Amino acid sequence: MIKALHHVQLAAPAGSEPSLREFYVGVLGLREVPKPPELAARGGAWFRVEGVEVHLGIEDDFRPARKAHPAFLVDDLDAFAARLPDAVPDDLFPGFRRIYVTDPVGNRIELLQPV
């Protein structure tokens, strides 16, 4: 039986870690957690907030997925929308307000709040 989701893995190009840190820590409010030394040599970064963990791994021929994405529940969608001027609102998911944004390397991110 599956008990929980441990993390979501997204890809990123080499050298993008500083901009990823600015976005995932500075904008989304996650905190960076150290990668195990064996994995740190590969580059990338890991981010966490209670109950949510996102790993960004370096991919040589990186191309962001067009549809695949994590969806994060938030408690104040309007506050996120104010910090993300390029956010695209979407009201097609009954019971939720949501926006879509992209991280600095083009990964699609969904932020949603129950109505």
Side-chain angles (χ1 to χ4, degrees):
M1 167 176 25
I2 294 175
K3 299 188 316 185
L5 178 66
H6 184 273
H7 70 272
V8 170
Q9 172 84 29
L10 298 174
S16 63
E17 293 90 346
S19 62
L20 294 170
R21 288 181 181 102
E22 287 178 24
F23 180 78
Y24 285 92
V25 175
V27 177
L28 295 187
L30 283 74
R31 68 183 185 283
E32 186 171 4
V33 294
K35 293 178 68 172
E38 308 79 35
L39 299 177
R42 299 179 184 176
W46 291 3
F47 304 98
R48 180 185 301 152
V49 70
E50 186 176 334
V52 174
E53 191 160 325
V54 180
H55 296 179
L56 276 291
I58 300 305
E59 191 172 274
D60 289 335
D61 189 23
F62 170 74
R63 277 172 279 181
R66 292 170 32 120
K67 296 273 298 177
H69 64 276
F72 301 123
L73 285 172
V74 300
D75 59 4
D76 189 348
L77 189 65
D78 293 325
F80 280 101
R83 290 193 303 253
L84 297 159
D86 294 331
V88 176
D90 176 315
D91 61 357
L92 300 176
F93 192 173
F96 291 90
R97 295 175 54 230
R98 66 183 179 173
I99 57 175
Y100 287 98
V101 300
T102 56
D103 73 7
V105 299
N107 290 310
R108 186 178 187 195
I109 307 292
E110 179 179 342
L111 303 173
L112 65 161
Q113 179 179 2
V115 176

